[in-house]
Amino acid sequence: MFSLLISGSATAWETDQLMRMDAGRFKEYSGSESEPIAAETPASLKGLEEIPSLLMYERGTEGPAADTVRYGFLRDVRLVKRELQFRFSEEGVFPRAVINEFAERLGLSQWEWGRTHWAIKDGGIPTALLERLQPTYDVVFSFAGEERTYVEQVAACLRSHGVKVFYDFYEEATLWGKDLVEHFDMVYRKSGRYCVIFISEHYLRKVWTKQERRFALARALQERREYVLPARFDSTEIPGIAPTTAYISLAGRTPEEFANFIQQKLGKVSPPI
C-alpha cells in the first residue's frame, strides 16, 4: 500500500510542521487493502507511518510548488476532532509530469486530480518511478578535500540530530557510476534547502568545487534568497560570493558549534538567549 494525498491549498505541503487533512476526505478513491484502516482507530493510523506517501496538489492549483510531488513517510498521524494531523519526513520529489506518466500504474483516476482527499492505494509505488526520484536534503555541503576532517564532523553531528545532509561520503553507493556533472547539478541546484560553502584557499583551486558553486549560485540567482551560506576557514575571495554576503567564521569554532548554527538556520533548534 501507499498513501496519496492531494490538496487544493497551494501551501498545504510547504511546511515542516503539522500538516492537515479533513477526516471526511479520508480513504476516498482507496483500494481494498485499506479496509481495516479507520481514522478513529489510532493503531491503524500508526500503520500508515510504515508505508510510503505521495503529497501533491490538485490540477489547476497555482503556487511555486504546484508541479512538485513530494515522496516520503508520514509521522505522528492522529485524529483531532474532524481533522487528521501529521508530520511528513520527505525523502525526495518528482516533477508532476513524471507522476502523470505513471498515473494508471498508481491507480490515480482522472477524477482525483481535481479533488482534495487522502487515498490509500493497493500495491506499491513502481520501482521504475522510484528510480526517477530526486532526493532532497536540508543542507548540501561544498568543500575542498583538505577540509574534510572538519566537515565530516559537522555532517556527523547534523545527521545525529536528524538533519538530512548531502555529504559525499554518505552517498558513495548512490554516486557510483553516475554522470557527476549531471547529478551535482541536481544536488546543488535543486535538492537542498540550503547550500553551505566552506571557503578556503584550497576551495578556490579545486575543479569540482567550482562546478558545485556554479550550480548553487544559479539557484540563488533564480530564487533571490539566502540559499548559499558561506562559512570561512580564511579570508580567500571566491568568485560569485559577494564580500557583503554575511558569513560564519570557522576560526576557533568547533564542528559541533557550527552544526548548531546550521540547525538554527533550519529552525530545528532555537538560538541561545
Side-chain angles (χ1 to χ4, degrees):
M1 291 188 297
F2 66 93
S3 286
L4 173 67
L5 290 80
I6 299 181
S7 176
S9 171
T11 58
W13 314 137
E14 309 311 303
T15 177
D16 56 4
Q17 303 302 313
L18 278 179
M19 297 178 178
R20 297 171 170 82
M21 176 66 71
D22 183 343
R25 303 292 182 92
F26 184 55
K27 289 179 60 175
E28 291 187 1
Y29 299 99
S30 293
S32 60
E33 294 177 11
S34 71
E35 290 179 5
I37 301 173
E40 297 79 13
T41 308
S44 67
L45 292 181
K46 186 70 176 176
L48 295 175
E49 299 176 19
E50 304 300 320
I51 62 175
S53 297
L54 295 172
L55 274 55
M56 60 188 296
Y57 292 102
E58 289 183 20
R59 181 184 288 123
T61 300
E62 296 183 359
D67 291 326
T68 298
V69 179
R70 307 189 182 283
Y71 169 85
F73 290 84
L74 305 179
R75 298 288 180 256
D76 306 322
V77 184
R78 57 185 179 142
L79 178 65
V80 180
K81 296 182 179 179
R82 290 301 301 164
E83 187 176 70
L84 283 164
Q85 298 181 356
F86 57 92
R87 300 181 188 276
F88 185 64
S89 177
E90 184 177 303
E91 296 196 356
V93 298
F94 298 103
R96 187 184 187 93
V98 172
I99 299 299
N100 291 347
E101 291 180 35
F102 286 83
E104 184 175 350
R105 294 178 63 180
L106 292 169
L108 181 55
S109 73
Q110 60 175 323
W111 307 110
E112 292 184 68
W113 293 100
R115 180 169 174 80
T116 294
H117 69 286
W118 182 334
I120 303 172
K121 300 293 189 179
D122 291 345
I125 295 176
T127 300
L129 175 57
L130 293 176
E131 289 174 350
R132 297 170 69 175
L133 181 71
Q134 298 176 2
T136 53
Y137 306 91
D138 293 313
V139 61
V140 298
F141 285 172
S142 178
F143 62 96
E146 287 81 356
E147 275 68 61
R148 181 174 295 282
T149 299
Y150 185 97
V151 173
E152 185 165 296
Q153 292 179 64
V154 176
C157 184
L158 291 173
R159 201 182 198 188
S160 71
H161 286 88
V163 175
K164 293 178 62 181
V165 54
F166 177 83
Y167 170 65
D168 57 356
F169 275 14
Y170 293 164
E171 307 283 335
E172 286 185 289
T174 300
L175 297 175
W176 189 11
K178 288 189 180 296
D179 179 327
L180 293 181
V181 172
E182 181 179 313
H183 188 74
F184 285 169
D185 175 44
M186 179 184 71
V187 169
Y188 290 98
R189 193 166 60 85
K190 300 178 181 179
S191 297
R193 182 175 169 189
Y194 293 107
C195 174
V196 174
I197 292 182
F198 292 85
I199 295 174
S200 69
E201 60 177 322
H202 303 295
Y203 187 90
L204 179 63
R205 297 199 298 263
K206 300 292 182 177
V207 174
W208 279 107
T209 56
K210 182 178 182 180
Q211 195 71 46
E212 294 162 5
R213 185 173 74 253
R214 282 177 173 172
F215 294 143
L217 290 173
R219 160 88 172 268
L221 179 63
Q222 181 181 30
E223 296 189 352
R224 298 182 181 276
R225 68 173 183 87
E226 65 274 24
Y227 169 62
V228 172
L229 306 178
R232 288 188 171 276
F233 285 107
D234 57 39
S235 59
T236 302
E237 290 193 13
I238 302 295
I241 307 294
T244 53
T245 302
Y247 64 90
I248 296 293
S249 173
L250 301 177
R253 182 163 282 129
T254 68
E256 292 74 20
E257 289 172 339
F258 182 56
N260 186 265
F261 270 100
I262 295 174
Q263 291 183 80
Q264 289 179 42
K265 188 68 175 179
L266 292 168
K268 295 184 179 291
V269 298
S270 299
I273 299 175

